[in-house]
Amino acid sequence: MIPKSANLPGQDFVIEEQPTYTYKMDPESGLIRGYVDGIEAMEQAVYKILSTERYRYLIYSWNYGIELEDLFGQPVSYACPELERRIREALIWDGRIEEVGDFKFDTSVKGIVHVYFTAHTILGDIKADKEVRI
């Protein structure tokens, strides 16, 4: 039997954007020191996503993190476009990140690709980088 109510699912509540207020990580010491909010919290989110290998940790959704380990031993001509795709896909899962672009690659050191890019978020643009051993 089909209900005859005009109230469709989703009409009884309002979806609100959650704040970015979170614990502040200190990557050098490995300690949590205070709190962070706004663009600094987004920088930390980008860092954390790109530092977490996807599918490795049960605590995270399979949508969280990035796959980098299988790039080891691959040629630079394969690794660079693949890194661009994987970084973009990993970051776009965060609803606060609208687009990722302006990719630049430094392959001057053998066995290492250094990727520079910009993440366009709802709070502003974040210039970020990631070093990957291939």
Side-chain angles (χ1 to χ4, degrees):
M1 179 172 213
I2 299 174
K4 296 181 180 182
S5 171
N7 290 335
L8 298 174
Q11 291 183 339
D12 298 26
F13 56 89
V14 177
I15 298 174
E16 295 181 8
E17 187 70 34
Q18 294 296 313
T20 58
Y21 191 70
T22 188
Y23 294 102
K24 183 176 183 178
M25 298 181 334
D26 181 0
E28 293 177 13
S29 68
L31 300 174
I32 303 295
R33 297 179 186 240
Y35 298 92
V36 66
D37 196 10
I39 195 76
E40 194 175 350
M42 286 305 306
E43 290 170 353
Q44 183 173 289
V46 168
Y47 169 80
K48 183 70 175 119
I49 290 168
L50 297 181
S51 297
T52 304
E53 183 70 21
R54 186 177 280 181
Y55 309 123
R56 178 181 288 173
Y57 305 100
L58 294 175
I59 192 170
Y60 296 115
S61 156
W62 279 19
N63 297 330
Y64 189 85
I66 187 167
E67 299 169 67
L68 296 175
E69 290 180 344
D70 65 329
L71 293 177
F72 187 77
Q74 298 294 335
V76 173
S77 60
Y78 171 79
C80 288
E82 193 63 18
L83 274 170
E84 181 174 338
R85 182 186 68 79
R86 291 181 188 193
I87 289 171
R88 182 175 283 119
E89 287 179 0
L91 294 178
I92 289 298
W93 277 104
D94 188 320
R96 302 168 293 180
I97 300 174
E98 297 171 331
E99 181 59 45
V100 183
D102 303 327
F103 284 88
K104 293 177 180 60
F105 299 91
D106 178 3
T107 58
S108 60
V109 178
K110 186 176 181 178
I112 295 177
V113 175
H114 205 114
V115 185
Y116 302 90
F117 59 92
T118 303
H120 305 283
T121 74
I122 61 173
L123 300 171
D125 292 348
I126 297 171
K127 299 242 184 241
D129 63 283
K130 177 70 178 168
E131 185 177 280
V132 180
R133 295 190 181 279
I134 59 167

mmCIF file of all heavy atoms in Angstrom, residues 43-89:
data_model
loop_
_atom_site.group_PDB
_atom_site.id
_atom_site.type_symbol
_atom_site.label_atom_id
_atom_site.label_comp_id
_atom_site.label_asym_id
_atom_site.label_seq_id
_atom_site.Cartn_x
_atom_site.Cartn_y
_atom_site.Cartn_z
ATOM 1 N N GLU A 43 43.484 22.779 5.661
ATOM 2 C CA GLU A 43 44.856 22.377 5.334
ATOM 3 C C GLU A 43 45.205 21.073 6.039
ATOM 4 O O GLU A 43 45.825 20.176 5.459
ATOM 5 C CB GLU A 43 45.840 23.474 5.735
ATOM 6 C CG GLU A 43 45.744 24.711 4.884
ATOM 7 C CD GLU A 43 46.556 25.870 5.435
ATOM 8 O OE1 GLU A 43 47.098 25.772 6.563
ATOM 9 O OE2 GLU A 43 46.635 26.896 4.736
ATOM 10 N N GLN A 44 44.782 20.970 7.284
ATOM 11 C CA GLN A 44 45.032 19.756 8.057
ATOM 12 C C GLN A 44 44.257 18.577 7.475
ATOM 13 O O GLN A 44 44.768 17.453 7.413
ATOM 14 C CB GLN A 44 44.626 20.003 9.511
ATOM 15 C CG GLN A 44 44.901 18.852 10.436
ATOM 16 C CD GLN A 44 44.649 19.218 11.870
ATOM 17 O OE1 GLN A 44 45.411 19.978 12.446
ATOM 18 N NE2 GLN A 44 43.589 18.687 12.449
ATOM 19 N N ALA A 45 43.033 18.792 7.007
ATOM 20 C CA ALA A 45 42.235 17.726 6.408
ATOM 21 C C ALA A 45 42.900 17.211 5.135
ATOM 22 O O ALA A 45 42.972 15.999 4.907
ATOM 23 C CB ALA A 45 40.820 18.223 6.108
ATOM 24 N N VAL A 46 43.406 18.122 4.297
ATOM 25 C CA VAL A 46 44.107 17.726 3.072
ATOM 26 C C VAL A 46 45.340 16.903 3.435
ATOM 27 O O VAL A 46 45.584 15.845 2.855
ATOM 28 C CB VAL A 46 44.491 18.962 2.228
ATOM 29 C CG1 VAL A 46 45.464 18.598 1.119
ATOM 30 C CG2 VAL A 46 43.247 19.627 1.655
ATOM 31 N N TYR A 47 46.115 17.374 4.395
ATOM 32 C CA TYR A 47 47.312 16.650 4.845
ATOM 33 C C TYR A 47 46.940 15.247 5.327
ATOM 34 O O TYR A 47 47.571 14.257 4.966
ATOM 35 C CB TYR A 47 48.008 17.436 5.959
ATOM 36 C CG TYR A 47 49.088 16.660 6.652
ATOM 37 C CD1 TYR A 47 50.353 16.526 6.078
ATOM 38 C CD2 TYR A 47 48.850 16.027 7.873
ATOM 39 C CE1 TYR A 47 51.352 15.798 6.706
ATOM 40 C CE2 TYR A 47 49.836 15.295 8.506
ATOM 41 C CZ TYR A 47 51.086 15.190 7.916
ATOM 42 O OH TYR A 47 52.063 14.449 8.541
ATOM 43 N N LYS A 48 45.898 15.141 6.139
ATOM 44 C CA LYS A 48 45.510 13.858 6.724
ATOM 45 C C LYS A 48 45.007 12.887 5.658
ATOM 46 O O LYS A 48 45.360 11.702 5.661
ATOM 47 C CB LYS A 48 44.431 14.085 7.786
ATOM 48 C CG LYS A 48 44.009 12.841 8.505
ATOM 49 C CD LYS A 48 45.096 12.325 9.410
ATOM 50 C CE LYS A 48 44.591 11.135 10.201
ATOM 51 N NZ LYS A 48 45.340 9.936 9.949
ATOM 52 N N ILE A 49 44.202 13.370 4.712
ATOM 53 C CA ILE A 49 43.695 12.504 3.651
ATOM 54 C C ILE A 49 44.845 11.942 2.822
ATOM 55 O O ILE A 49 44.891 10.752 2.513
ATOM 56 C CB ILE A 49 42.696 13.268 2.751
ATOM 57 C CG1 ILE A 49 41.405 13.556 3.520
ATOM 58 C CG2 ILE A 49 42.388 12.480 1.481
ATOM 59 C CD1 ILE A 49 40.482 14.545 2.833
ATOM 60 N N LEU A 50 45.805 12.810 2.473
ATOM 61 C CA LEU A 50 46.915 12.378 1.624
ATOM 62 C C LEU A 50 47.986 11.609 2.388
ATOM 63 O O LEU A 50 48.901 11.067 1.784
ATOM 64 C CB LEU A 50 47.524 13.581 0.911
ATOM 65 C CG LEU A 50 46.579 14.297 -0.054
ATOM 66 C CD1 LEU A 50 47.284 15.461 -0.725
ATOM 67 C CD2 LEU A 50 45.998 13.348 -1.076
ATOM 68 N N SER A 51 47.864 11.539 3.700
ATOM 69 C CA SER A 51 48.814 10.773 4.515
ATOM 70 C C SER A 51 48.249 9.422 4.943
ATOM 71 O O SER A 51 48.920 8.667 5.646
ATOM 72 C CB SER A 51 49.197 11.578 5.761
ATOM 73 O OG SER A 51 49.849 12.765 5.390
ATOM 74 N N THR A 52 47.028 9.130 4.544
ATOM 75 C CA THR A 52 46.368 7.890 4.947
ATOM 76 C C THR A 52 46.209 6.982 3.732
ATOM 77 O O THR A 52 45.555 7.350 2.761
ATOM 78 C CB THR A 52 44.978 8.189 5.549
ATOM 79 O OG1 THR A 52 45.129 9.101 6.640
ATOM 80 C CG2 THR A 52 44.312 6.911 6.025
ATOM 81 N N GLU A 53 46.816 5.826 3.778
ATOM 82 C CA GLU A 53 46.690 4.860 2.685
ATOM 83 C C GLU A 53 45.280 4.272 2.712
ATOM 84 O O GLU A 53 44.834 3.738 3.728
ATOM 85 C CB GLU A 53 47.740 3.748 2.826
ATOM 86 C CG GLU A 53 47.747 2.747 1.713
ATOM 87 C CD GLU A 53 48.264 3.298 0.383
ATOM 88 O OE1 GLU A 53 48.986 4.312 0.378
ATOM 89 O OE2 GLU A 53 47.935 2.690 -0.651
ATOM 90 N N ARG A 54 44.586 4.389 1.598
ATOM 91 C CA ARG A 54 43.210 3.908 1.488
ATOM 92 C C ARG A 54 43.165 2.392 1.654
ATOM 93 O O ARG A 54 44.067 1.676 1.217
ATOM 94 C CB ARG A 54 42.636 4.298 0.130
ATOM 95 C CG ARG A 54 41.151 3.959 0.000
ATOM 96 C CD ARG A 54 40.615 4.422 -1.303
ATOM 97 N NE ARG A 54 40.335 5.850 -1.222
ATOM 98 C CZ ARG A 54 39.835 6.558 -2.221
ATOM 99 N NH1 ARG A 54 39.610 6.001 -3.381
ATOM 100 N NH2 ARG A 54 39.600 7.837 -2.072
ATOM 101 N N TYR A 55 42.129 1.900 2.308
ATOM 102 C CA TYR A 55 41.829 0.476 2.549
ATOM 103 C C TYR A 55 42.717 -0.174 3.613
ATOM 104 O O TYR A 55 42.526 -1.338 3.926
ATOM 105 C CB TYR A 55 41.927 -0.369 1.269
ATOM 106 C CG TYR A 55 41.163 0.172 0.102
ATOM 107 C CD1 TYR A 55 41.807 0.446 -1.096
ATOM 108 C CD2 TYR A 55 39.802 0.428 0.188
ATOM 109 C CE1 TYR A 55 41.109 0.947 -2.180
ATOM 110 C CE2 TYR A 55 39.102 0.933 -0.886
ATOM 111 C CZ TYR A 55 39.763 1.188 -2.069
ATOM 112 O OH TYR A 55 39.077 1.687 -3.140
ATOM 113 N N ARG A 56 43.674 0.538 4.173
ATOM 114 C CA ARG A 56 44.576 -0.088 5.133
ATOM 115 C C ARG A 56 43.993 -0.129 6.550
ATOM 116 O O ARG A 56 44.219 -1.079 7.291
ATOM 117 C CB ARG A 56 45.917 0.633 5.176
ATOM 118 C CG ARG A 56 46.834 -0.013 6.220
ATOM 119 C CD ARG A 56 48.144 0.633 6.357
ATOM 120 N NE ARG A 56 48.941 0.317 5.180
ATOM 121 C CZ ARG A 56 50.114 0.862 4.935
ATOM 122 N NH1 ARG A 56 50.602 1.764 5.752
ATOM 123 N NH2 ARG A 56 50.784 0.530 3.872
ATOM 124 N N TYR A 57 43.246 0.902 6.947
ATOM 125 C CA TYR A 57 42.801 1.039 8.331
ATOM 126 C C TYR A 57 41.284 0.852 8.423
ATOM 127 O O TYR A 57 40.525 1.555 7.761
ATOM 128 C CB TYR A 57 43.189 2.410 8.884
ATOM 129 C CG TYR A 57 44.668 2.677 8.756
ATOM 130 C CD1 TYR A 57 45.163 3.469 7.718
ATOM 131 C CD2 TYR A 57 45.576 2.120 9.648
ATOM 132 C CE1 TYR A 57 46.517 3.710 7.588
ATOM 133 C CE2 TYR A 57 46.935 2.345 9.521
ATOM 134 C CZ TYR A 57 47.395 3.147 8.487
ATOM 135 O OH TYR A 57 48.740 3.380 8.359
ATOM 136 N N LEU A 58 40.851 -0.068 9.253
ATOM 137 C CA LEU A 58 39.432 -0.373 9.389
ATOM 138 C C LEU A 58 38.621 0.798 9.936
ATOM 139 O O LEU A 58 37.418 0.878 9.697
ATOM 140 C CB LEU A 58 39.241 -1.591 10.301
ATOM 141 C CG LEU A 58 39.779 -2.911 9.761
ATOM 142 C CD1 LEU A 58 39.626 -4.001 10.805
ATOM 143 C CD2 LEU A 58 39.069 -3.285 8.478
ATOM 144 N N ILE A 59 39.260 1.691 10.665
ATOM 145 C CA ILE A 59 38.541 2.800 11.271
ATOM 146 C C ILE A 59 38.013 3.792 10.230
ATOM 147 O O ILE A 59 37.047 4.499 10.452
ATOM 148 C CB ILE A 59 39.432 3.523 12.312
ATOM 149 C CG1 ILE A 59 38.606 4.479 13.150
ATOM 150 C CG2 ILE A 59 40.571 4.246 11.628
ATOM 151 C CD1 ILE A 59 39.327 5.041 14.340
ATOM 152 N N TYR A 60 38.627 3.829 9.050
ATOM 153 C CA TYR A 60 38.225 4.775 8.010
ATOM 154 C C TYR A 60 37.330 4.117 6.973
ATOM 155 O O TYR A 60 37.491 2.943 6.650
ATOM 156 C CB TYR A 60 39.452 5.340 7.279
ATOM 157 C CG TYR A 60 40.355 6.148 8.159
ATOM 158 C CD1 TYR A 60 41.643 5.721 8.436
ATOM 159 C CD2 TYR A 60 39.938 7.361 8.706
ATOM 160 C CE1 TYR A 60 42.492 6.461 9.243
ATOM 161 C CE2 TYR A 60 40.778 8.112 9.510
ATOM 162 C CZ TYR A 60 42.050 7.655 9.776
ATOM 163 O OH TYR A 60 42.875 8.396 10.565
ATOM 164 N N SER A 61 36.440 4.921 6.414
ATOM 165 C CA SER A 61 35.619 4.477 5.286
ATOM 166 C C SER A 61 36.533 4.152 4.112
ATOM 167 O O SER A 61 37.623 4.702 3.982
ATOM 168 C CB SER A 61 34.668 5.616 4.900
ATOM 169 O OG SER A 61 34.249 5.500 3.566
ATOM 170 N N TRP A 62 36.076 3.300 3.205
ATOM 171 C CA TRP A 62 36.869 2.972 2.021
ATOM 172 C C TRP A 62 36.970 4.162 1.085
ATOM 173 O O TRP A 62 37.742 4.144 0.135
ATOM 174 C CB TRP A 62 36.279 1.766 1.312
ATOM 175 C CG TRP A 62 36.688 0.475 1.942
ATOM 176 C CD1 TRP A 62 37.184 0.283 3.201
ATOM 177 C CD2 TRP A 62 36.650 -0.809 1.341
ATOM 178 N NE1 TRP A 62 37.450 -1.032 3.416
ATOM 179 C CE2 TRP A 62 37.127 -1.729 2.284
ATOM 180 C CE3 TRP A 62 36.251 -1.272 0.096
ATOM 181 C CZ2 TRP A 62 37.221 -3.081 2.027
ATOM 182 C CZ3 TRP A 62 36.346 -2.624 -0.168
ATOM 183 C CH2 TRP A 62 36.826 -3.517 0.795
ATOM 184 N N ASN A 63 36.222 5.203 1.334
ATOM 185 C CA ASN A 63 36.300 6.421 0.525
ATOM 186 C C ASN A 63 37.374 7.377 1.036
ATOM 187 O O ASN A 63 37.642 8.387 0.401
ATOM 188 C CB ASN A 63 34.958 7.153 0.520
ATOM 189 C CG ASN A 63 33.877 6.335 -0.117
ATOM 190 O OD1 ASN A 63 34.130 5.536 -1.007
ATOM 191 N ND2 ASN A 63 32.655 6.520 0.336
ATOM 192 N N TYR A 64 37.952 7.088 2.195
ATOM 193 C CA TYR A 64 38.900 8.007 2.824
ATOM 194 C C TYR A 64 40.336 7.591 2.534
ATOM 195 O O TYR A 64 40.686 6.420 2.607
ATOM 196 C CB TYR A 64 38.681 8.027 4.343
ATOM 197 C CG TYR A 64 39.471 9.099 5.046
ATOM 198 C CD1 TYR A 64 38.983 10.387 5.147
ATOM 199 C CD2 TYR A 64 40.715 8.825 5.587
ATOM 200 C CE1 TYR A 64 39.700 11.388 5.780
ATOM 201 C CE2 TYR A 64 41.445 9.807 6.220
ATOM 202 C CZ TYR A 64 40.927 11.085 6.312
ATOM 203 O OH TYR A 64 41.656 12.066 6.934
ATOM 204 N N GLY A 65 41.175 8.554 2.206
ATOM 205 C CA GLY A 65 42.592 8.292 1.980
ATOM 206 C C GLY A 65 42.925 8.220 0.506
ATOM 207 O O GLY A 65 42.117 8.580 -0.360
ATOM 208 N N ILE A 66 44.146 7.797 0.234
ATOM 209 C CA ILE A 66 44.655 7.742 -1.134
ATOM 210 C C ILE A 66 45.463 6.458 -1.321
ATOM 211 O O ILE A 66 46.083 5.972 -0.368
ATOM 212 C CB ILE A 66 45.511 8.988 -1.446
ATOM 213 C CG1 ILE A 66 45.916 9.032 -2.914
ATOM 214 C CG2 ILE A 66 46.710 9.076 -0.532
ATOM 215 C CD1 ILE A 66 46.492 10.364 -3.342
ATOM 216 N N GLU A 67 45.457 5.921 -2.510
ATOM 217 C CA GLU A 67 46.233 4.723 -2.830
ATOM 218 C C GLU A 67 47.558 5.148 -3.461
ATOM 219 O O GLU A 67 47.568 5.701 -4.554
ATOM 220 C CB GLU A 67 45.471 3.858 -3.824
ATOM 221 C CG GLU A 67 44.137 3.373 -3.315
ATOM 222 C CD GLU A 67 43.338 2.752 -4.426
ATOM 223 O OE1 GLU A 67 43.750 1.688 -4.934
ATOM 224 O OE2 GLU A 67 42.318 3.341 -4.794
ATOM 225 N N LEU A 68 48.664 4.891 -2.754
ATOM 226 C CA LEU A 68 49.975 5.278 -3.265
ATOM 227 C C LEU A 68 50.956 4.117 -3.337
ATOM 228 O O LEU A 68 51.894 4.147 -4.130
ATOM 229 C CB LEU A 68 50.580 6.397 -2.398
ATOM 230 C CG LEU A 68 49.826 7.717 -2.380
ATOM 231 C CD1 LEU A 68 50.468 8.676 -1.397
ATOM 232 C CD2 LEU A 68 49.770 8.315 -3.765
ATOM 233 N N GLU A 69 50.776 3.100 -2.511
ATOM 234 C CA GLU A 69 51.770 2.029 -2.409
ATOM 235 C C GLU A 69 51.999 1.297 -3.725
ATOM 236 O O GLU A 69 53.114 0.875 -4.005
ATOM 237 C CB GLU A 69 51.361 1.038 -1.320
ATOM 238 C CG GLU A 69 51.483 1.617 0.067
ATOM 239 C CD GLU A 69 51.076 0.638 1.149
ATOM 240 O OE1 GLU A 69 50.417 -0.379 0.848
ATOM 241 O OE2 GLU A 69 51.419 0.903 2.313
ATOM 242 N N ASP A 70 50.968 1.141 -4.537
ATOM 243 C CA ASP A 70 51.137 0.383 -5.779
ATOM 244 C C ASP A 70 51.847 1.186 -6.873
ATOM 245 O O ASP A 70 52.125 0.654 -7.942
ATOM 246 C CB ASP A 70 49.793 -0.139 -6.285
ATOM 247 C CG ASP A 70 48.838 0.965 -6.683
ATOM 248 O OD1 ASP A 70 48.899 2.045 -6.080
ATOM 249 O OD2 ASP A 70 48.023 0.742 -7.599
ATOM 250 N N LEU A 71 52.173 2.444 -6.605
ATOM 251 C CA LEU A 71 52.923 3.242 -7.579
ATOM 252 C C LEU A 71 54.425 2.979 -7.500
ATOM 253 O O LEU A 71 55.168 3.360 -8.386
ATOM 254 C CB LEU A 71 52.653 4.735 -7.377
ATOM 255 C CG LEU A 71 51.233 5.192 -7.695
ATOM 256 C CD1 LEU A 71 51.083 6.673 -7.389
ATOM 257 C CD2 LEU A 71 50.879 4.894 -9.135
ATOM 258 N N PHE A 72 54.864 2.317 -6.432
ATOM 259 C CA PHE A 72 56.279 2.014 -6.274
ATOM 260 C C PHE A 72 56.742 1.120 -7.414
ATOM 261 O O PHE A 72 56.145 0.093 -7.716
ATOM 262 C CB PHE A 72 56.546 1.342 -4.921
ATOM 263 C CG PHE A 72 57.999 1.167 -4.632
ATOM 264 C CD1 PHE A 72 58.767 2.233 -4.217
ATOM 265 C CD2 PHE A 72 58.602 -0.066 -4.797
ATOM 266 C CE1 PHE A 72 60.115 2.081 -3.956
ATOM 267 C CE2 PHE A 72 59.952 -0.239 -4.542
ATOM 268 C CZ PHE A 72 60.711 0.846 -4.125
ATOM 269 N N GLY A 73 57.808 1.512 -8.089
ATOM 270 C CA GLY A 73 58.361 0.742 -9.191
ATOM 271 C C GLY A 73 57.779 1.094 -10.550
ATOM 272 O O GLY A 73 58.223 0.577 -11.568
ATOM 273 N N GLN A 74 56.788 1.991 -10.568
ATOM 274 C CA GLN A 74 56.166 2.379 -11.830
ATOM 275 C C GLN A 74 56.991 3.479 -12.511
ATOM 276 O O GLN A 74 57.655 4.277 -11.843
ATOM 277 C CB GLN A 74 54.742 2.890 -11.601
ATOM 278 C CG GLN A 74 53.814 1.861 -11.018
ATOM 279 C CD GLN A 74 53.554 0.715 -11.980
ATOM 280 O OE1 GLN A 74 53.654 0.844 -13.195
ATOM 281 N NE2 GLN A 74 53.248 -0.454 -11.416
ATOM 282 N N PRO A 75 56.954 3.576 -13.834
ATOM 283 C CA PRO A 75 57.675 4.642 -14.528
ATOM 284 C C PRO A 75 57.023 5.998 -14.269
ATOM 285 O O PRO A 75 55.823 6.089 -14.002
ATOM 286 C CB PRO A 75 57.557 4.257 -16.011
ATOM 287 C CG PRO A 75 56.410 3.326 -16.087
ATOM 288 C CD PRO A 75 56.300 2.651 -14.757
ATOM 289 N N VAL A 76 57.813 7.045 -14.342
ATOM 290 C CA VAL A 76 57.339 8.411 -14.100
ATOM 291 C C VAL A 76 56.205 8.772 -15.064
ATOM 292 O O VAL A 76 55.241 9.441 -14.678
ATOM 293 C CB VAL A 76 58.502 9.428 -14.217
ATOM 294 C CG1 VAL A 76 57.995 10.857 -14.137
ATOM 295 C CG2 VAL A 76 59.524 9.165 -13.132
ATOM 296 N N SER A 77 56.310 8.315 -16.309
ATOM 297 C CA SER A 77 55.287 8.626 -17.308
ATOM 298 C C SER A 77 53.917 8.066 -16.919
ATOM 299 O O SER A 77 52.890 8.587 -17.337
ATOM 300 C CB SER A 77 55.700 8.081 -18.678
ATOM 301 O OG SER A 77 55.856 6.679 -18.620
ATOM 302 N N TYR A 78 53.881 7.026 -16.116
ATOM 303 C CA TYR A 78 52.628 6.471 -15.609
ATOM 304 C C TYR A 78 52.246 7.125 -14.284
ATOM 305 O O TYR A 78 51.085 7.454 -14.044
ATOM 306 C CB TYR A 78 52.755 4.956 -15.412
ATOM 307 C CG TYR A 78 51.581 4.335 -14.701
ATOM 308 C CD1 TYR A 78 50.397 4.074 -15.376
ATOM 309 C CD2 TYR A 78 51.642 4.018 -13.345
ATOM 310 C CE1 TYR A 78 49.304 3.509 -14.724
ATOM 311 C CE2 TYR A 78 50.568 3.456 -12.682
ATOM 312 C CZ TYR A 78 49.399 3.214 -13.378
ATOM 313 O OH TYR A 78 48.326 2.658 -12.725
ATOM 314 N N ALA A 79 53.237 7.334 -13.408
ATOM 315 C CA ALA A 79 52.976 7.805 -12.048
ATOM 316 C C ALA A 79 52.412 9.226 -12.001
ATOM 317 O O ALA A 79 51.507 9.492 -11.214
ATOM 318 C CB ALA A 79 54.250 7.721 -11.210
ATOM 319 N N CYS A 80 52.908 10.124 -12.819
ATOM 320 C CA CYS A 80 52.462 11.522 -12.746
ATOM 321 C C CYS A 80 50.972 11.695 -13.063
ATOM 322 O O CYS A 80 50.241 12.268 -12.248
ATOM 323 C CB CYS A 80 53.327 12.412 -13.625
ATOM 324 S SG CYS A 80 54.978 12.657 -12.947
ATOM 325 N N PRO A 81 50.480 11.221 -14.196
ATOM 326 C CA PRO A 81 49.037 11.382 -14.432
ATOM 327 C C PRO A 81 48.181 10.582 -13.454
ATOM 328 O O PRO A 81 47.085 11.005 -13.086
ATOM 329 C CB PRO A 81 48.833 10.894 -15.862
ATOM 330 C CG PRO A 81 50.069 10.188 -16.252
ATOM 331 C CD PRO A 81 51.158 10.643 -15.351
ATOM 332 N N GLU A 82 48.698 9.455 -13.008
ATOM 333 C CA GLU A 82 47.960 8.647 -12.043
ATOM 334 C C GLU A 82 47.885 9.359 -10.694
ATOM 335 O O GLU A 82 46.847 9.328 -10.024
ATOM 336 C CB GLU A 82 48.623 7.277 -11.899
ATOM 337 C CG GLU A 82 47.800 6.265 -11.175
ATOM 338 C CD GLU A 82 46.494 5.893 -11.859
ATOM 339 O OE1 GLU A 82 46.322 6.146 -13.063
ATOM 340 O OE2 GLU A 82 45.626 5.344 -11.155
ATOM 341 N N LEU A 83 48.970 10.007 -10.282
ATOM 342 C CA LEU A 83 48.963 10.783 -9.044
ATOM 343 C C LEU A 83 47.950 11.922 -9.121
ATOM 344 O O LEU A 83 47.238 12.184 -8.151
ATOM 345 C CB LEU A 83 50.348 11.352 -8.756
ATOM 346 C CG LEU A 83 51.297 10.446 -8.013
ATOM 347 C CD1 LEU A 83 52.698 11.042 -8.004
ATOM 348 C CD2 LEU A 83 50.808 10.218 -6.606
ATOM 349 N N GLU A 84 47.914 12.604 -10.240
ATOM 350 C CA GLU A 84 46.947 13.698 -10.405
ATOM 351 C C GLU A 84 45.521 13.176 -10.224
ATOM 352 O O GLU A 84 44.721 13.758 -9.486
ATOM 353 C CB GLU A 84 47.106 14.329 -11.782
ATOM 354 C CG GLU A 84 46.167 15.484 -12.015
ATOM 355 C CD GLU A 84 46.415 16.203 -13.324
ATOM 356 O OE1 GLU A 84 47.529 16.111 -13.880
ATOM 357 O OE2 GLU A 84 45.476 16.871 -13.797
ATOM 358 N N ARG A 85 45.199 12.081 -10.866
ATOM 359 C CA ARG A 85 43.856 11.502 -10.759
ATOM 360 C C ARG A 85 43.556 11.060 -9.328
ATOM 361 O O ARG A 85 42.496 11.362 -8.781
ATOM 362 C CB ARG A 85 43.727 10.305 -11.705
ATOM 363 C CG ARG A 85 42.331 9.668 -11.693
ATOM 364 C CD ARG A 85 42.289 8.402 -12.527
ATOM 365 N NE ARG A 85 43.073 7.313 -11.971
ATOM 366 C CZ ARG A 85 42.685 6.527 -10.976
ATOM 367 N NH1 ARG A 85 41.518 6.716 -10.396
ATOM 368 N NH2 ARG A 85 43.460 5.538 -10.556
ATOM 369 N N ARG A 86 44.507 10.381 -8.701
ATOM 370 C CA ARG A 86 44.273 9.849 -7.358
ATOM 371 C C ARG A 86 44.161 10.949 -6.312
ATOM 372 O O ARG A 86 43.352 10.845 -5.382
ATOM 373 C CB ARG A 86 45.379 8.866 -6.984
ATOM 374 C CG ARG A 86 45.305 7.589 -7.791
ATOM 375 C CD ARG A 86 46.387 6.623 -7.404
ATOM 376 N NE ARG A 86 46.424 5.477 -8.302
ATOM 377 C CZ ARG A 86 47.101 4.384 -8.050
ATOM 378 N NH1 ARG A 86 47.800 4.262 -6.936
ATOM 379 N NH2 ARG A 86 47.086 3.381 -8.920
ATOM 380 N N ILE A 87 44.967 11.981 -6.414
ATOM 381 C CA ILE A 87 44.879 13.100 -5.468
ATOM 382 C C ILE A 87 43.527 13.792 -5.619
ATOM 383 O O ILE A 87 42.847 14.086 -4.633
ATOM 384 C CB ILE A 87 46.049 14.086 -5.665
ATOM 385 C CG1 ILE A 87 47.350 13.450 -5.176
ATOM 386 C CG2 ILE A 87 45.776 15.404 -4.945
ATOM 387 C CD1 ILE A 87 48.600 14.242 -5.505
ATOM 388 N N ARG A 88 43.129 14.040 -6.841
ATOM 389 C CA ARG A 88 41.837 14.694 -7.089
ATOM 390 C C ARG A 88 40.697 13.851 -6.514
ATOM 391 O O ARG A 88 39.843 14.358 -5.792
ATOM 392 C CB ARG A 88 41.635 14.925 -8.584
ATOM 393 C CG ARG A 88 40.331 15.635 -8.910
ATOM 394 C CD ARG A 88 40.180 15.961 -10.380
ATOM 395 N NE ARG A 88 41.012 17.118 -10.703
ATOM 396 C CZ ARG A 88 42.010 17.097 -11.583
ATOM 397 N NH1 ARG A 88 42.322 15.994 -12.231
ATOM 398 N NH2 ARG A 88 42.701 18.189 -11.826
ATOM 399 N N GLU A 89 40.687 12.561 -6.811
ATOM 400 C CA GLU A 89 39.616 11.694 -6.320
ATOM 401 C C GLU A 89 39.607 11.578 -4.798
ATOM 402 O O GLU A 89 38.544 11.551 -4.181
ATOM 403 C CB GLU A 89 39.731 10.307 -6.943
ATOM 404 C CG GLU A 89 39.320 10.270 -8.394
ATOM 405 C CD GLU A 89 39.449 8.890 -9.026
ATOM 406 O OE1 GLU A 89 39.863 7.942 -8.317
ATOM 407 O OE2 GLU A 89 39.150 8.772 -10.222
#
